[in-house]
Amino acid sequence: MLARPSDPGDRFVSARARGGDEERWGLTGLIHDFDWERHPDLERHPVQGVAVLREKGWPEDVCRAVLGHATHTGVPRDTDMAKALYACDEVSGFLVACALVTPGRSLDQVEVASVKKKMKRADFARNVSREDMVNGAAELGVDLDQHIGFVLEAMRGIRGELGL
């Protein structure tokens, strides 16, 4: 997984389409990797981060979604919010990597077809799990190409905030 303070693409995808609470989903997307710099390994992330969230009184559905975005925790993704977080986590990171290698370092220069080609290259964004990208779309019940396009459009909508 890429180390990043947040995946803004995570916070917009599917909440509106699935009748979810956009603020709650947005906050979940923003905080899901908050502990990565302190615990950059599978032994502790996100389990120790969720322990902090629970101590601070975060709602259980948010905690479970954060735990579920990491397959190694074994926590099932049993809500639309949890499924969307998992589905968008790796895709949004991969899209940032794709944008950064374009001449203009811009999401506007990223196309779904080029993303799919880059997914086949093991040497490109090697820390992003292609398996999680594919499985995430499947868990949401959407076509992978459509999912990539949806996340890409959501991220383009906040390109200024992302600097991309």
Side-chain angles (χ1 to χ4, degrees):
M1 197 178 304
L2 292 177
R4 53 201 179 271
S6 64
D7 294 321
D10 292 345
R11 57 187 175 139
F12 296 108
V13 176
S14 298
R16 188 174 303 146
R18 294 176 183 255
D21 180 332
E22 290 183 55
E23 282 296 310
R24 186 181 210 92
W25 287 34
L27 287 172
T28 304
L30 288 171
I31 59 99
H32 79 281
D33 276 341
F34 83 95
D35 69 325
W36 181 250
E37 288 184 17
R38 179 174 281 175
H39 307 296
D41 56 69
L42 298 183
E43 300 281 321
R44 299 176 291 167
H45 171 74
V47 175
Q48 289 192 3
V50 168
V52 171
L53 294 176
R54 286 181 171 142
E55 285 175 19
K56 303 284 185 190
W58 281 76
E60 189 59 22
D61 65 322
V62 172
C63 293
R64 287 183 57 78
V66 171
L67 286 170
H69 95 280
T71 56
H72 67 276
T73 66
V75 174
R77 292 173 287 279
D78 50 12
T79 65
D80 281 341
M81 180 174 67
K83 291 174 185 176
L85 179 61
Y86 173 65
C88 298
D89 186 32
E90 297 296 288
V91 170
S92 60
F94 198 79
L95 291 173
V96 168
C98 290
L100 291 175
V101 298
T102 65
R105 297 175 58 91
S106 170
L107 288 166
D108 290 333
Q109 296 175 321
V110 176
E111 298 299 329
V112 173
S114 67
V115 171
K116 294 290 294 277
K117 285 181 186 175
K118 285 179 176 62
M119 284 178 68
K120 295 175 185 174
R121 289 185 36 205
D123 65 329
F124 182 80
R126 66 182 51 156
N127 291 331
V128 177
S129 170
R130 277 55 164 182
E131 183 179 357
D132 285 355
M133 291 172 66
V134 171
N135 290 341
E139 282 189 26
L140 279 178
V142 297
D143 174 77
L144 180 60
D145 288 7
Q146 290 175 331
H147 180 57
I148 291 168
F150 191 80
V151 176
L152 181 59
E153 285 307 309
M155 292 176 70
R156 284 177 177 160
I158 56 168
R159 69 174 63 77
E161 293 174 54
L162 297 173
L164 298 170

